[in-house]
Amino acid sequence: MMGGQQFWRKKVMLVRSLIDSDLQAFLHQYHIPGLAIAVVQAGELTYQQGYGFANLEHSIPVTEHTVFEIASVGKVFTAMLVVLLADEGLLTFDHSVRDYLPDLPVAWQPVTLRHILSHQSGLPSYTEVEDYWDRTHLNLPPLEVLGWVSHLPLKFKPGDYVSYDNTGFYLLGLVLETVTGQSYGELLRDRIFQSLHMTQSQINDPTELVPQRAAGYQWRNSRLCNKPYYSPAMTYAAGGHLASLADLVKWEQALCKGTLLPHDRLAALWQPRPSALGQEWTTWGYGMGLGWFVLNYGDRRVVGHNGSIVGFASNMTRFLDDHLTVIVLCNGDGIARPDAIAKTVAGHCNAAIAALPLQPPM
């Protein structure tokens, strides 16, 4: 018995050493000031570590309680709110978004909440307007941001193709506020964060004092710089979220236990929903669930989401059949594939995952 325990301890130490080595290399290669990572196996936290600095100017190290901007990883929270309210009868997946927001363009009538959640809406994306990056410092109300694209037709018939879309998730925030009478931030707090004791998670407000908030950085002209101001009006329900690693571990554990939704309802979030005319599952290597990417790893079920915003990058990947989840948070935006970090770390924990080729980006 003692020999078996010693073998297991040596294996764990080796895995942690390999993870440490790889993450130090990632920090250097992609000029990332700080990174936090967690591995959760069958709902149990097995590895949690901070690397580098949350704030370079004050030499503050990253810990599990460092608060990061998680960008589009926050879309999974928006999706959860929609499902929770649908289960209460306040929303219907197959109703038009205009049933809840009648002032939207008539041309958007065919778009349902289900289309939006599975990125099959055909809505024009406000982040793709020609001078978008000249507007990102503006603090505007959501309807004014939507006004940038409200005169545009749909890009395709809803349901025909998958096309990643921020406009739809922006609209979901307004839908949620309309049917509840609460702000999106209040809904997050009351329906998810307080229930799971996620005390460091909230919608982002750059003017608010947030304990242990990480500074965001960019690599420009061969040196690290503080990120420029990026208004939360540009993200809202599509990715304007703050969270710490410790809080996202609580979120993962709640998914494992079915705390907010029973397991059969959660499974519906991760069921790939192929579009009518696209071939994303075979051509791109992924499909869309409801607010989650579903990766084509053959018979192995894998779901997750990347987040990318000025100064930050993040990922959460859940290897469902292996009962293994990796969470990655960075305060530098130089890495386009935070999911690749998660896949590498998962491979150290599970040799079968290591043998799988990395699928296209989420």
Side-chain angles (χ1 to χ4, degrees):
M1 175 68 83
M2 184 60 69
Q5 291 177 344
Q6 289 176 345
F7 173 79
W8 178 248
R9 281 197 295 269
K10 288 182 179 179
K11 182 177 180 180
V12 170
M13 290 177 63
L14 175 61
V15 168
R16 292 188 172 194
S17 177
L18 291 171
I19 292 174
D20 283 346
S21 178
D22 278 340
L23 292 180
Q24 294 291 356
F26 275 122
L27 289 174
H28 177 74
Q29 180 179 357
Y30 295 106
H31 311 291
I32 301 171
L35 181 150
I37 191 155
V39 177
V40 181
Q41 294 184 293
E44 295 295 324
L45 178 63
T46 59
Y47 187 82
Q48 181 174 258
Q49 186 65 48
Y51 297 84
F53 293 97
N55 187 296
L56 291 173
E57 291 171 314
H58 297 285
S59 299
I60 298 173
V62 170
T63 74
E64 69 271 22
H65 297 297
T66 299
V67 176
F68 291 81
E69 295 182 32
I70 63 171
S72 287
V73 170
K75 284 185 171 71
V76 303
F77 296 134
T78 302
M80 176 63 80
L81 286 174
V82 172
V83 175
L84 289 173
L85 295 184
D87 282 1
E88 295 175 13
L90 295 176
L91 296 172
T92 301
F93 287 152
D94 294 312
H95 279 186
S96 168
V97 67
R98 290 190 73 246
D99 291 343
Y100 306 100
L101 303 172
D103 291 335
L104 293 180
V106 174
W108 294 4
Q109 179 67 34
V111 178
T112 67
L113 303 189
R114 192 184 304 276
H115 288 139
I116 291 173
L117 288 167
S118 57
H119 291 279
Q120 297 179 30
S121 68
L123 289 166
S125 180
Y126 70 91
T127 61
E128 295 176 4
V129 296
E130 186 175 351
D131 57 347
Y132 174 73
W133 290 102
D134 294 329
R135 311 184 191 191
T136 55
H137 65 287
L138 301 175
N139 297 315
L140 304 173
L143 289 178
E144 189 165 343
V145 175
L146 290 170
W148 300 346
V149 293
S150 60
H151 62 290
L152 299 176
L154 297 177
K155 296 190 292 184
F156 53 80
K157 179 182 175 182
D160 275 2
Y161 298 100
V162 167
S163 178
Y164 189 77
D165 163 44
N166 284 301
T167 301
F169 273 77
Y170 209 93
L171 288 172
L172 288 180
L174 295 175
V175 169
L176 292 166
E177 292 185 344
T178 298
V179 300
T180 64
Q182 289 184 279
S183 72
Y184 176 72
E186 290 170 341
L187 282 167
L188 284 173
R189 181 195 63 204
D190 294 349
R191 298 300 188 106
I192 298 178
F193 298 153
Q194 283 188 349
S195 298
L196 304 182
H197 306 289
M198 297 172 63
T199 58
Q200 294 184 286
S201 299
Q202 63 181 73
I203 199 73
N204 187 23
D205 180 350
T207 67
E208 187 174 337
L209 297 178
V210 176
Q212 303 190 64
R213 184 202 290 260
Y217 298 94
Q218 291 186 319
W219 181 257
R220 296 199 305 266
N221 301 320
S222 300
R223 64 189 182 94
L224 282 167
C225 304
N226 289 312
K227 77 176 186 71
Y229 179 74
Y230 188 89
S231 170
M234 302 301 113
T235 49
Y236 183 46
H241 306 75
L242 301 178
S244 67
L245 186 69
D247 272 6
L248 291 178
V249 168
K250 294 175 184 177
W251 165 250
E252 166 59 20
Q253 291 171 329
L255 295 177
C256 290
K257 296 175 183 176
T259 304
L260 295 176
L261 279 179
H263 287 103
D264 61 328
R265 296 291 289 127
L266 285 171
L269 296 174
W270 306 318
Q271 180 67 33
R273 301 172 185 277
S275 63
L277 302 177
Q279 297 179 337
E280 53 273 358
W281 188 250
T282 54
T283 302
W284 298 343
Y286 66 83
M288 295 305 308
L290 297 178
W292 291 76
F293 282 79
V294 185
L295 302 182
N296 183 359
Y297 279 105
D299 295 333
R300 182 177 259 100
R301 295 180 303 152
V302 184
V303 301
H305 214 295
N306 273 341
S308 179
I309 197 168
V310 175
F312 293 88
S314 54
N315 172 264
M316 181 175 189
T317 302
R318 309 189 74 233
F319 297 86
L320 297 176
D321 294 322
D322 301 282
H323 308 289
L324 175 65
T325 294
V326 180
I327 303 165
V328 181
L329 303 175
C330 307
N331 63 339
D333 58 13
I335 179 167
R337 297 291 305 271
D339 56 302
I341 297 178
K343 166 72 166 53
T344 298
V345 170
H348 288 315
C349 302
N350 185 317
I353 294 174
L356 298 171
L358 179 67
Q359 282 298 320
M362 290 181 277

